[in-house]
Amino acid sequence: ENIFEFLSELPKCSLNAKERHGKMKLWNKYKVTSIPSLVFIDAATGKVVCRNGLLVVRDDPKGLEFPWGPKPFAEVVAGPLLRNNRQTTDSSALEGSYVGVYFSAHWCPPCRSLTRVLVESYRKVKESGQKFEIVFVSADRSEESFTQYFSEMPWLAVPYTDEARRSRLNRLYGIQGIPTLILLDTEGHMITRQGRVEILNDPDCRLFPWHPRPVLELSESNAVQLHEGPCLVLFVDAEEEGELEPAKELIQPIAEKIMAKYKAKEEETPLLFFVAGEDDMSDSLRDYTNLPEAAPLLTILDMSARAKYVKDVEEITPAVVEQFVSEFLAEKLKPEPI
């Protein structure tokens, strides 16, 4: 079933438009995808301290680790790691490598299918001479299930019995669903949360280590990112992927500027950028959001808030895009309902 058809069946929120918009902005800002969710923030700076507050309350009911701020990956993962031949290695062996932190479980069908692809990607990256390791953090429901699933994996795992360390890693990255593949650089800093999308989009691993690209071409595998927050989508009259390049070049400088600005503030970018041609995925998105057939068509789509902003002009120039983006970020645009 198409993702947009599925979403169209969900019940609509009954709040009035202003209340709904304000609440959905908070959902988007803190990347909330399920309830109940508890997010701790630093009131002085507004920065997120911990996304998985429910795990904090469970793991540290007396508040001994308060204020629960993020710790370095090396500190959280510290300890023995397993190989599927039952040998162990210390987590210090990860130093100097790119690392994928893989949250997965055998009971989850999308996890099993991603694991099959990931095994091949892991092999290709290793064969290319890159220092790359993956650490499996299990959400299996029994040690037997973990052992069976891990037997298919050529990488490392946190021992299933070390529930505290598995929970701390879930807390560190605010994991709200599986499969999730977090990619880290050689210093342990996050490259992207979208490892799953990157692996599926790049089976030959040409773009390893998959640093975020300013502009994405809308595809079946990355469409899920449309639901993570507001997205600028430029629809163009192009059936072939290569024909989308001029559209990407048009909006890329603006996307790069936004990414750099928010990275400097150590904040997540408030807007993702896509170009979409003429294909089934674009048609589904237009149908779901009730957009006109015009091309080119410049839009900002905020799926969580069920809001859209449409700029239907004959010629889309960098100046038009830049003004559209700046007015959106300044909350000067009036949303239409999706």
Side-chain angles (χ1 to χ4, degrees):
E1 189 176 13
N2 183 288
I3 189 170
F4 303 117
E5 289 172 3
F6 167 74
L7 284 158
S8 68
E9 300 301 316
L10 294 177
K12 298 288 192 290
C13 189
S14 60
L15 298 168
N16 70 46
K18 190 172 181 182
E19 285 177 325
R20 190 178 71 187
H21 185 62
K23 291 186 179 183
M24 286 303 175
K25 275 180 64 182
L26 288 173
W27 278 60
N28 288 340
K29 181 178 177 66
Y30 299 117
K31 307 291 186 199
V32 174
T33 57
S34 61
I35 54 173
S37 283
L38 177 60
V39 180
F40 292 110
I41 62 170
D42 181 337
T45 63
K47 289 186 178 177
V48 173
V49 173
C50 176
R51 294 187 190 283
N52 274 22
L54 294 173
L55 283 181
V56 167
V57 171
R58 190 194 75 183
D59 295 349
D60 185 25
K62 295 184 179 178
L64 301 178
E65 294 179 39
F66 182 82
W68 305 302
K71 296 182 170 73
F73 168 70
E75 183 180 329
V76 177
V77 80
L81 297 171
L82 296 178
R83 292 204 177 274
N84 63 17
N85 61 6
R86 298 189 177 277
Q87 291 185 334
T88 63
T89 186
D90 190 75
S91 59
S92 59
L94 299 171
E95 290 175 14
S97 292
Y98 291 99
V99 176
V101 191
Y102 184 36
F103 299 86
S104 186
H106 189 263
W107 53 261
C108 156
C111 293
R112 294 197 301 273
S113 61
L114 179 61
T115 296
R116 288 191 289 272
V117 178
L118 191 52
V119 166
E120 284 303 303
S121 298
Y122 177 77
R123 180 182 60 77
K124 287 174 185 173
V125 173
K126 298 280 273 190
E127 286 178 356
S128 75
Q130 300 269 11
K131 292 192 74 176
F132 180 46
E133 197 48 81
I134 293 175
V135 177
F136 170 41
V137 184
S138 171
D140 288 292
R141 291 167 177 158
S142 70
E143 190 165 8
E144 292 75 21
S145 179
F146 161 78
T147 302
Q148 178 193 344
Y149 192 29
F150 185 44
S151 70
E152 305 167 16
M153 302 178 184
W155 44 73
L156 300 167
V158 176
Y160 186 80
T161 51
D162 196 342
E163 189 176 347
R165 193 163 27 143
R166 290 191 289 123
S167 185
R168 284 197 297 271
L169 284 161
N170 272 275
R171 277 164 48 191
L172 179 62
Y173 296 115
I175 302 303
Q176 295 187 324
I178 56 172
T180 294
L181 178 64
I182 305 284
L183 290 163
L184 308 177
D185 67 16
T186 54
E187 302 294 316
H189 301 133
M190 190 187 297
I191 295 173
T192 179
R193 305 180 64 86
Q194 298 298 333
R196 178 190 185 186
V197 171
E198 296 294 349
I199 290 286
L200 295 175
N201 267 347
D202 183 27
D204 293 326
C205 306
R206 291 196 181 102
L207 299 174
F208 177 85
W210 300 295
H211 287 283
R213 293 183 300 291
V215 183
L216 298 173
E217 293 179 13
L218 183 67
S219 69
E220 194 170 337
S221 57
N222 65 28
V224 66
Q225 290 179 255
L226 291 167
H227 302 279
E228 297 201 344
C231 297
L232 180 140
V233 185
L234 173 56
F235 292 88
V236 292
D237 186 5
E239 291 187 23
E240 300 298 324
E241 278 190 20
E243 294 180 37
L244 293 173
E245 283 304 316
K248 286 171 73 174
E249 289 169 10
L250 174 71
I251 60 177
Q252 179 126 345
I254 297 148
E256 287 174 346
K257 191 189 296 184
I258 296 285
M259 281 179 74
K261 178 182 174 183
Y262 284 85
K263 186 176 182 182
K265 295 198 288 185
E266 296 184 356
E267 294 179 14
E268 292 188 44
T269 182
L271 195 59
L272 297 178
F273 292 80
F274 288 84
V275 292
E278 288 181 306
D279 56 26
D280 291 345
M281 181 55 63
S282 297
D283 290 345
S284 295
L285 180 55
R286 282 184 188 264
D287 290 346
Y288 175 66
T289 54
N290 196 23
L291 289 170
E293 286 298 314
L297 184 69
L298 184 62
T299 67
I300 291 174
L301 305 175
D302 189 344
M303 299 296 208
S304 298
R306 297 189 184 273
K308 64 184 177 188
Y309 309 82
V310 181
K311 190 86 170 176
D312 188 0
V313 293
E314 280 189 24
E315 186 182 4
I316 294 172
T317 64
V320 167
V321 177
E322 191 139 21
Q323 182 183 7
F324 188 51
V325 168
S326 63
E327 287 180 352
F328 170 77
L329 293 176
E331 299 183 24
K332 292 181 179 176
L333 298 179
K334 187 178 179 189
E336 300 173 52
I338 288 180

mmCIF file of all heavy atoms in Angstrom, residues 112-149:
data_model
loop_
_atom_site.group_PDB
_atom_site.id
_atom_site.type_symbol
_atom_site.label_atom_id
_atom_site.label_comp_id
_atom_site.label_asym_id
_atom_site.label_seq_id
_atom_site.Cartn_x
_atom_site.Cartn_y
_atom_site.Cartn_z
ATOM 1 N N ARG A 112 14.617 -7.231 8.915
ATOM 2 C CA ARG A 112 15.250 -8.392 8.279
ATOM 3 C C ARG A 112 15.622 -8.088 6.834
ATOM 4 O O ARG A 112 16.696 -8.470 6.367
ATOM 5 C CB ARG A 112 14.334 -9.623 8.356
ATOM 6 C CG ARG A 112 14.102 -10.122 9.777
ATOM 7 C CD ARG A 112 13.568 -11.545 9.790
ATOM 8 N NE ARG A 112 12.305 -11.687 9.081
ATOM 9 C CZ ARG A 112 11.106 -11.490 9.618
ATOM 10 N NH1 ARG A 112 10.996 -11.112 10.883
ATOM 11 N NH2 ARG A 112 10.017 -11.664 8.911
ATOM 12 N N SER A 113 14.739 -7.375 6.129
ATOM 13 C CA SER A 113 15.055 -7.060 4.730
ATOM 14 C C SER A 113 16.205 -6.050 4.651
ATOM 15 O O SER A 113 17.070 -6.151 3.772
ATOM 16 C CB SER A 113 13.814 -6.548 3.980
ATOM 17 O OG SER A 113 13.327 -5.370 4.563
ATOM 18 N N LEU A 114 16.261 -5.086 5.586
ATOM 19 C CA LEU A 114 17.377 -4.138 5.579
ATOM 20 C C LEU A 114 18.683 -4.843 5.918
ATOM 21 O O LEU A 114 19.731 -4.545 5.338
ATOM 22 C CB LEU A 114 17.119 -3.001 6.577
ATOM 23 C CG LEU A 114 18.239 -1.946 6.671
ATOM 24 C CD1 LEU A 114 18.448 -1.243 5.331
ATOM 25 C CD2 LEU A 114 17.941 -0.924 7.756
ATOM 26 N N THR A 115 18.637 -5.793 6.846
ATOM 27 C CA THR A 115 19.852 -6.515 7.232
ATOM 28 C C THR A 115 20.476 -7.211 6.035
ATOM 29 O O THR A 115 21.703 -7.181 5.847
ATOM 30 C CB THR A 115 19.544 -7.537 8.347
ATOM 31 O OG1 THR A 115 19.122 -6.827 9.512
ATOM 32 C CG2 THR A 115 20.768 -8.369 8.695
ATOM 33 N N ARG A 116 19.653 -7.806 5.180
ATOM 34 C CA ARG A 116 20.181 -8.496 3.992
ATOM 35 C C ARG A 116 20.939 -7.519 3.091
ATOM 36 O O ARG A 116 22.010 -7.831 2.576
ATOM 37 C CB ARG A 116 19.046 -9.176 3.223
ATOM 38 C CG ARG A 116 18.493 -10.402 3.939
ATOM 39 C CD ARG A 116 17.572 -11.199 3.032
ATOM 40 N NE ARG A 116 16.305 -10.521 2.788
ATOM 41 C CZ ARG A 116 15.228 -10.632 3.557
ATOM 42 N NH1 ARG A 116 15.275 -11.388 4.652
ATOM 43 N NH2 ARG A 116 14.113 -10.009 3.258
ATOM 44 N N VAL A 117 20.388 -6.314 2.907
ATOM 45 C CA VAL A 117 21.053 -5.295 2.080
ATOM 46 C C VAL A 117 22.304 -4.789 2.781
ATOM 47 O O VAL A 117 23.361 -4.595 2.161
ATOM 48 C CB VAL A 117 20.087 -4.122 1.787
ATOM 49 C CG1 VAL A 117 20.783 -3.041 0.971
ATOM 50 C CG2 VAL A 117 18.847 -4.618 1.055
ATOM 51 N N LEU A 118 22.190 -4.588 4.082
ATOM 52 C CA LEU A 118 23.287 -4.016 4.866
ATOM 53 C C LEU A 118 24.506 -4.937 4.887
ATOM 54 O O LEU A 118 25.650 -4.468 4.863
ATOM 55 C CB LEU A 118 22.796 -3.724 6.285
ATOM 56 C CG LEU A 118 23.697 -2.896 7.206
ATOM 57 C CD1 LEU A 118 24.119 -1.600 6.558
ATOM 58 C CD2 LEU A 118 22.979 -2.632 8.533
ATOM 59 N N VAL A 119 24.280 -6.248 4.908
ATOM 60 C CA VAL A 119 25.401 -7.200 4.879
ATOM 61 C C VAL A 119 26.234 -6.974 3.616
ATOM 62 O O VAL A 119 27.473 -6.938 3.661
ATOM 63 C CB VAL A 119 24.883 -8.659 4.946
ATOM 64 C CG1 VAL A 119 25.985 -9.653 4.579
ATOM 65 C CG2 VAL A 119 24.348 -8.961 6.339
ATOM 66 N N GLU A 120 25.559 -6.787 2.476
ATOM 67 C CA GLU A 120 26.274 -6.554 1.219
ATOM 68 C C GLU A 120 26.984 -5.207 1.231
ATOM 69 O O GLU A 120 28.119 -5.090 0.766
ATOM 70 C CB GLU A 120 25.300 -6.623 0.029
ATOM 71 C CG GLU A 120 24.894 -8.033 -0.354
ATOM 72 C CD GLU A 120 26.105 -8.895 -0.680
ATOM 73 O OE1 GLU A 120 26.882 -8.530 -1.578
ATOM 74 O OE2 GLU A 120 26.305 -9.924 0.007
ATOM 75 N N SER A 121 26.324 -4.173 1.748
ATOM 76 C CA SER A 121 26.931 -2.844 1.800
ATOM 77 C C SER A 121 28.169 -2.846 2.701
ATOM 78 O O SER A 121 29.202 -2.261 2.366
ATOM 79 C CB SER A 121 25.918 -1.808 2.307
ATOM 80 O OG SER A 121 24.822 -1.722 1.422
ATOM 81 N N TYR A 122 28.052 -3.505 3.821
ATOM 82 C CA TYR A 122 29.172 -3.622 4.758
ATOM 83 C C TYR A 122 30.369 -4.284 4.074
ATOM 84 O O TYR A 122 31.511 -3.816 4.166
ATOM 85 C CB TYR A 122 28.707 -4.442 5.958
ATOM 86 C CG TYR A 122 29.743 -4.741 7.019
ATOM 87 C CD1 TYR A 122 30.139 -3.772 7.934
ATOM 88 C CD2 TYR A 122 30.293 -6.020 7.129
ATOM 89 C CE1 TYR A 122 31.068 -4.070 8.937
ATOM 90 C CE2 TYR A 122 31.215 -6.321 8.120
ATOM 91 C CZ TYR A 122 31.598 -5.342 9.022
ATOM 92 O OH TYR A 122 32.510 -5.637 9.999
ATOM 93 N N ARG A 123 30.097 -5.372 3.352
ATOM 94 C CA ARG A 123 31.163 -6.089 2.652
ATOM 95 C C ARG A 123 31.826 -5.192 1.607
ATOM 96 O O ARG A 123 33.065 -5.131 1.510
ATOM 97 C CB ARG A 123 30.582 -7.351 1.988
ATOM 98 C CG ARG A 123 31.610 -8.186 1.235
ATOM 99 C CD ARG A 123 30.954 -9.394 0.561
ATOM 100 N NE ARG A 123 29.929 -9.025 -0.394
ATOM 101 C CZ ARG A 123 30.187 -8.561 -1.626
ATOM 102 N NH1 ARG A 123 31.426 -8.395 -2.030
ATOM 103 N NH2 ARG A 123 29.189 -8.267 -2.431
ATOM 104 N N LYS A 124 31.022 -4.447 0.839
ATOM 105 C CA LYS A 124 31.579 -3.590 -0.218
ATOM 106 C C LYS A 124 32.444 -2.481 0.358
ATOM 107 O O LYS A 124 33.511 -2.168 -0.177
ATOM 108 C CB LYS A 124 30.434 -2.983 -1.053
ATOM 109 C CG LYS A 124 29.768 -3.987 -1.973
ATOM 110 C CD LYS A 124 28.557 -3.384 -2.667
ATOM 111 C CE LYS A 124 27.830 -4.429 -3.497
ATOM 112 N NZ LYS A 124 26.558 -3.921 -4.048
ATOM 113 N N VAL A 125 31.971 -1.848 1.451
ATOM 114 C CA VAL A 125 32.747 -0.762 2.052
ATOM 115 C C VAL A 125 34.067 -1.297 2.606
ATOM 116 O O VAL A 125 35.138 -0.698 2.412
ATOM 117 C CB VAL A 125 31.937 -0.048 3.159
ATOM 118 C CG1 VAL A 125 32.820 0.963 3.897
ATOM 119 C CG2 VAL A 125 30.725 0.663 2.563
ATOM 120 N N LYS A 126 34.011 -2.442 3.287
ATOM 121 C CA LYS A 126 35.231 -3.039 3.846
ATOM 122 C C LYS A 126 36.214 -3.415 2.739
ATOM 123 O O LYS A 126 37.415 -3.177 2.843
ATOM 124 C CB LYS A 126 34.892 -4.275 4.682
ATOM 125 C CG LYS A 126 34.008 -4.009 5.876
ATOM 126 C CD LYS A 126 34.749 -3.459 7.061
ATOM 127 C CE LYS A 126 35.307 -4.551 7.917
ATOM 128 N NZ LYS A 126 35.829 -4.008 9.201
ATOM 129 N N GLU A 127 35.693 -3.970 1.641
ATOM 130 C CA GLU A 127 36.555 -4.372 0.526
ATOM 131 C C GLU A 127 37.191 -3.181 -0.162
ATOM 132 O O GLU A 127 38.255 -3.308 -0.769
ATOM 133 C CB GLU A 127 35.765 -5.211 -0.488
ATOM 134 C CG GLU A 127 35.475 -6.627 -0.003
ATOM 135 C CD GLU A 127 34.645 -7.428 -0.987
ATOM 136 O OE1 GLU A 127 34.222 -6.855 -2.023
ATOM 137 O OE2 GLU A 127 34.401 -8.623 -0.726
ATOM 138 N N SER A 128 36.548 -2.002 -0.061
ATOM 139 C CA SER A 128 37.118 -0.797 -0.677
ATOM 140 C C SER A 128 38.267 -0.230 0.153
ATOM 141 O O SER A 128 38.913 0.741 -0.256
ATOM 142 C CB SER A 128 36.029 0.270 -0.852
ATOM 143 O OG SER A 128 35.711 0.861 0.404
ATOM 144 N N GLY A 129 38.515 -0.830 1.330
ATOM 145 C CA GLY A 129 39.631 -0.392 2.157
ATOM 146 C C GLY A 129 39.267 0.639 3.215
ATOM 147 O O GLY A 129 40.144 1.113 3.947
ATOM 148 N N GLN A 130 37.977 0.984 3.313
ATOM 149 C CA GLN A 130 37.545 1.970 4.311
ATOM 150 C C GLN A 130 37.461 1.319 5.695
ATOM 151 O O GLN A 130 37.127 0.138 5.809
ATOM 152 C CB GLN A 130 36.157 2.515 3.937
ATOM 153 C CG GLN A 130 36.096 3.204 2.592
ATOM 154 C CD GLN A 130 36.365 4.690 2.690
ATOM 155 O OE1 GLN A 130 36.794 5.190 3.710
ATOM 156 N NE2 GLN A 130 36.109 5.402 1.609
ATOM 157 N N LYS A 131 37.746 2.112 6.715
ATOM 158 C CA LYS A 131 37.582 1.619 8.089
ATOM 159 C C LYS A 131 36.131 1.840 8.499
ATOM 160 O O LYS A 131 35.708 2.973 8.749
ATOM 161 C CB LYS A 131 38.542 2.346 9.040
ATOM 162 C CG LYS A 131 40.013 2.006 8.794
ATOM 163 C CD LYS A 131 40.897 2.513 9.925
ATOM 164 C CE LYS A 131 40.744 1.666 11.159
ATOM 165 N NZ LYS A 131 41.672 2.086 12.255
ATOM 166 N N PHE A 132 35.392 0.753 8.535
ATOM 167 C CA PHE A 132 33.949 0.838 8.791
ATOM 168 C C PHE A 132 33.547 -0.336 9.672
ATOM 169 O O PHE A 132 33.952 -1.476 9.435
ATOM 170 C CB PHE A 132 33.185 0.783 7.462
ATOM 171 C CG PHE A 132 31.678 0.874 7.588
ATOM 172 C CD1 PHE A 132 31.074 1.821 8.408
ATOM 173 C CD2 PHE A 132 30.855 0.017 6.864
ATOM 174 C CE1 PHE A 132 29.689 1.911 8.519
ATOM 175 C CE2 PHE A 132 29.469 0.102 6.949
ATOM 176 C CZ PHE A 132 28.893 1.051 7.781
ATOM 177 N N GLU A 133 32.771 -0.044 10.706
ATOM 178 C CA GLU A 133 32.266 -1.101 11.575
ATOM 179 C C GLU A 133 30.798 -0.811 11.895
ATOM 180 O O GLU A 133 30.357 0.334 11.840
ATOM 181 C CB GLU A 133 33.093 -1.176 12.864
ATOM 182 C CG GLU A 133 32.915 -2.465 13.637
ATOM 183 C CD GLU A 133 33.028 -3.703 12.760
ATOM 184 O OE1 GLU A 133 34.148 -4.126 12.458
ATOM 185 O OE2 GLU A 133 31.957 -4.223 12.363
ATOM 186 N N ILE A 134 30.065 -1.858 12.181
ATOM 187 C CA ILE A 134 28.655 -1.729 12.569
ATOM 188 C C ILE A 134 28.485 -2.372 13.939
ATOM 189 O O ILE A 134 29.084 -3.417 14.219
ATOM 190 C CB ILE A 134 27.725 -2.384 11.531
ATOM 191 C CG1 ILE A 134 27.778 -1.615 10.209
ATOM 192 C CG2 ILE A 134 26.277 -2.434 12.040
ATOM 193 C CD1 ILE A 134 26.990 -2.240 9.072
ATOM 194 N N VAL A 135 27.687 -1.716 14.783
ATOM 195 C CA VAL A 135 27.365 -2.253 16.106
ATOM 196 C C VAL A 135 25.855 -2.472 16.157
ATOM 197 O O VAL A 135 25.075 -1.524 16.047
ATOM 198 C CB VAL A 135 27.808 -1.287 17.228
ATOM 199 C CG1 VAL A 135 27.385 -1.839 18.592
ATOM 200 C CG2 VAL A 135 29.314 -1.058 17.187
ATOM 201 N N PHE A 136 25.459 -3.724 16.328
ATOM 202 C CA PHE A 136 24.046 -4.105 16.400
ATOM 203 C C PHE A 136 23.549 -3.906 17.834
ATOM 204 O O PHE A 136 24.127 -4.421 18.787
ATOM 205 C CB PHE A 136 23.916 -5.568 15.970
ATOM 206 C CG PHE A 136 22.578 -6.210 16.198
ATOM 207 C CD1 PHE A 136 21.387 -5.540 15.950
ATOM 208 C CD2 PHE A 136 22.502 -7.532 16.657
ATOM 209 C CE1 PHE A 136 20.159 -6.148 16.162
ATOM 210 C CE2 PHE A 136 21.283 -8.157 16.864
ATOM 211 C CZ PHE A 136 20.104 -7.465 16.626
ATOM 212 N N VAL A 137 22.476 -3.114 17.961
ATOM 213 C CA VAL A 137 21.825 -2.905 19.255
ATOM 214 C C VAL A 137 20.451 -3.562 19.148
ATOM 215 O O VAL A 137 19.543 -3.046 18.484
ATOM 216 C CB VAL A 137 21.702 -1.405 19.608
ATOM 217 C CG1 VAL A 137 21.107 -1.236 21.006
ATOM 218 C CG2 VAL A 137 23.069 -0.726 19.523
ATOM 219 N N SER A 138 20.289 -4.690 19.793
ATOM 220 C CA SER A 138 19.119 -5.533 19.585
ATOM 221 C C SER A 138 17.880 -5.022 20.323
ATOM 222 O O SER A 138 17.958 -4.546 21.453
ATOM 223 C CB SER A 138 19.436 -6.949 20.062
ATOM 224 O OG SER A 138 18.272 -7.749 20.065
ATOM 225 N N ALA A 139 16.738 -5.178 19.633
ATOM 226 C CA ALA A 139 15.438 -4.992 20.285
ATOM 227 C C ALA A 139 14.666 -6.310 20.240
ATOM 228 O O ALA A 139 13.435 -6.324 20.247
ATOM 229 C CB ALA A 139 14.650 -3.882 19.598
ATOM 230 N N ASP A 140 15.416 -7.423 20.152
ATOM 231 C CA ASP A 140 14.780 -8.735 20.137
ATOM 232 C C ASP A 140 14.110 -9.020 21.482
ATOM 233 O O ASP A 140 14.454 -8.422 22.503
ATOM 234 C CB ASP A 140 15.810 -9.814 19.816
ATOM 235 C CG ASP A 140 16.242 -9.771 18.361
ATOM 236 O OD1 ASP A 140 15.412 -10.080 17.499
ATOM 237 O OD2 ASP A 140 17.403 -9.399 18.089
ATOM 238 N N ARG A 141 13.179 -9.962 21.466
ATOM 239 C CA ARG A 141 12.377 -10.231 22.661
ATOM 240 C C ARG A 141 12.918 -11.388 23.491
ATOM 241 O O ARG A 141 12.374 -11.697 24.538
ATOM 242 C CB ARG A 141 10.931 -10.496 22.233
ATOM 243 C CG ARG A 141 10.268 -9.223 21.711
ATOM 244 C CD ARG A 141 8.973 -9.484 20.988
ATOM 245 N NE ARG A 141 8.357 -8.231 20.576
ATOM 246 C CZ ARG A 141 7.472 -8.130 19.595
ATOM 247 N NH1 ARG A 141 7.105 -9.200 18.925
ATOM 248 N NH2 ARG A 141 6.956 -6.964 19.281
ATOM 249 N N SER A 142 13.969 -12.020 23.003
ATOM 250 C CA SER A 142 14.597 -13.085 23.785
ATOM 251 C C SER A 142 16.044 -13.215 23.328
ATOM 252 O O SER A 142 16.399 -12.823 22.208
ATOM 253 C CB SER A 142 13.883 -14.421 23.580
ATOM 254 O OG SER A 142 14.118 -14.903 22.264
ATOM 255 N N GLU A 143 16.877 -13.803 24.200
ATOM 256 C CA GLU A 143 18.281 -13.992 23.836
ATOM 257 C C GLU A 143 18.411 -15.003 22.694
ATOM 258 O O GLU A 143 19.291 -14.872 21.846
ATOM 259 C CB GLU A 143 19.091 -14.446 25.048
ATOM 260 C CG GLU A 143 20.585 -14.431 24.774
ATOM 261 C CD GLU A 143 21.424 -14.531 26.034
ATOM 262 O OE1 GLU A 143 20.862 -14.763 27.123
ATOM 263 O OE2 GLU A 143 22.655 -14.388 25.911
ATOM 264 N N GLU A 144 17.510 -15.993 22.643
ATOM 265 C CA GLU A 144 17.544 -16.975 21.566
ATOM 266 C C GLU A 144 17.303 -16.302 20.215
ATOM 267 O O GLU A 144 17.994 -16.588 19.230
ATOM 268 C CB GLU A 144 16.478 -18.062 21.792
ATOM 269 C CG GLU A 144 16.740 -18.975 22.978
ATOM 270 C CD GLU A 144 16.468 -18.297 24.329
ATOM 271 O OE1 GLU A 144 15.709 -17.295 24.355
ATOM 272 O OE2 GLU A 144 17.010 -18.775 25.334
ATOM 273 N N SER A 145 16.313 -15.388 20.181
ATOM 274 C CA SER A 145 16.009 -14.663 18.952
ATOM 275 C C SER A 145 17.195 -13.783 18.549
ATOM 276 O O SER A 145 17.569 -13.713 17.370
ATOM 277 C CB SER A 145 14.750 -13.812 19.145
ATOM 278 O OG SER A 145 14.464 -13.082 17.981
ATOM 279 N N PHE A 146 17.800 -13.116 19.534
ATOM 280 C CA PHE A 146 18.987 -12.289 19.277
ATOM 281 C C PHE A 146 20.106 -13.145 18.669
ATOM 282 O O PHE A 146 20.719 -12.767 17.658
ATOM 283 C CB PHE A 146 19.469 -11.648 20.577
ATOM 284 C CG PHE A 146 20.897 -11.169 20.544
ATOM 285 C CD1 PHE A 146 21.234 -9.981 19.916
ATOM 286 C CD2 PHE A 146 21.911 -11.913 21.140
ATOM 287 C CE1 PHE A 146 22.547 -9.543 19.876
ATOM 288 C CE2 PHE A 146 23.232 -11.476 21.109
ATOM 289 C CZ PHE A 146 23.553 -10.291 20.479
ATOM 290 N N THR A 147 20.376 -14.287 19.261
ATOM 291 C CA THR A 147 21.470 -15.144 18.800
ATOM 292 C C THR A 147 21.229 -15.621 17.376
ATOM 293 O O THR A 147 22.140 -15.617 16.535
ATOM 294 C CB THR A 147 21.629 -16.356 19.748
ATOM 295 O OG1 THR A 147 21.867 -15.870 21.078
ATOM 296 C CG2 THR A 147 22.788 -17.240 19.314
ATOM 297 N N GLN A 148 19.978 -15.999 17.081
ATOM 298 C CA GLN A 148 19.647 -16.452 15.729
ATOM 299 C C GLN A 148 19.845 -15.317 14.715
ATOM 300 O O GLN A 148 20.450 -15.514 13.661
ATOM 301 C CB GLN A 148 18.193 -16.940 15.685
ATOM 302 C CG GLN A 148 17.758 -17.398 14.291
ATOM 303 C CD GLN A 148 16.250 -17.584 14.173
ATOM 304 O OE1 GLN A 148 15.554 -17.660 15.178
ATOM 305 N NE2 GLN A 148 15.759 -17.642 12.956
ATOM 306 N N TYR A 149 19.341 -14.128 15.052
ATOM 307 C CA TYR A 149 19.420 -12.982 14.135
ATOM 308 C C TYR A 149 20.871 -12.549 13.949
ATOM 309 O O TYR A 149 21.327 -12.311 12.826
ATOM 310 C CB TYR A 149 18.568 -11.846 14.709
ATOM 311 C CG TYR A 149 18.295 -10.685 13.783
ATOM 312 C CD1 TYR A 149 18.230 -10.834 12.402
ATOM 313 C CD2 TYR A 149 18.059 -9.410 14.310
ATOM 314 C CE1 TYR A 149 17.948 -9.760 11.567
ATOM 315 C CE2 TYR A 149 17.776 -8.329 13.494
ATOM 316 C CZ TYR A 149 17.725 -8.510 12.120
ATOM 317 O OH TYR A 149 17.459 -7.438 11.313
#
